[in-house]
Structures are given as structure tokens and as C-alpha cells.
């Protein structure tokens, strides 16, 4: 059984969880809020925001 892979979005932002794209957002603030909430609930996950315009990824860290 092969898992379906999601394509990188052409615009906007996406959440990458443990190397897999999980959700897309229109704004960086929305992606950051979603990523921070997920990181609070599951601190062991590696969560990044993917920016389609620059093809860059930004790590979400848990601030205590």
C-alpha cells in the first residue's frame, strides 16, 4: 500500500508535520497559529511552515 503524497502548494503557506504536508493556509499568520497550536498539543512533532513564494521552510519551536 502506497501513501498518497501531497504536492507543494503553488501559493500561500502549508504546514509540514514530520516531513509531510498536512494543511494549507492563505496567510503566514494563519499557518503560524495552526502550527503553534499543534506544537503545544504534540511537542514531540517536527512542525514547519512552508512558504510557496520563496520555497523556504520555517521551524516552529515550543516556547516555554
Amino acid at each position: 500500500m502506497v501513501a498518497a503524497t501531497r504536492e507543494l502548494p503553488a501559493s500561500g503557506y502549508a504546514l509540514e508535520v514530520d516531513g509531510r504536508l498536512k494543511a494549507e493556509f492563505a496567510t503566514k499568520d494563519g499557518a503560524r497559529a495552526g502550527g503553534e497550536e499543534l506544537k503545544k498539543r504534540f511537542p514531540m512533532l517536527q512542525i514547519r511552515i512552508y512558504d510557496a513564494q520563496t520555497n523556504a521552510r520555517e521551524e516552529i519551536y515550543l516556547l516555554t
Side-chain angles (χ1 to χ4, degrees):
M1 187 165 152
V2 177
T5 57
R6 285 184 127 169
E7 302 262 338
L8 292 174
S11 64
Y13 301 87
L15 276 185
E16 184 180 298
V17 179
D18 286 345
R20 295 178 184 235
L21 294 179
K22 296 294 182 179
E24 293 184 29
F25 296 85
T27 66
K28 187 172 186 176
D29 289 338
R32 178 171 295 287
E36 287 174 352
E37 177 62 30
L38 197 56
K39 189 72 171 179
K40 286 178 190 173
R41 292 174 50 210
F42 304 100
M44 72 297 265
L45 295 178
Q46 179 185 42
I47 301 173
R48 296 180 182 163
I49 297 173
Y50 171 74
D51 182 345
Q53 184 176 6
T54 63
N55 292 326
R57 288 170 171 82
E58 178 184 340
E59 187 88 24
I60 298 287
Y61 295 100
L62 183 62
L63 301 176
T64 55

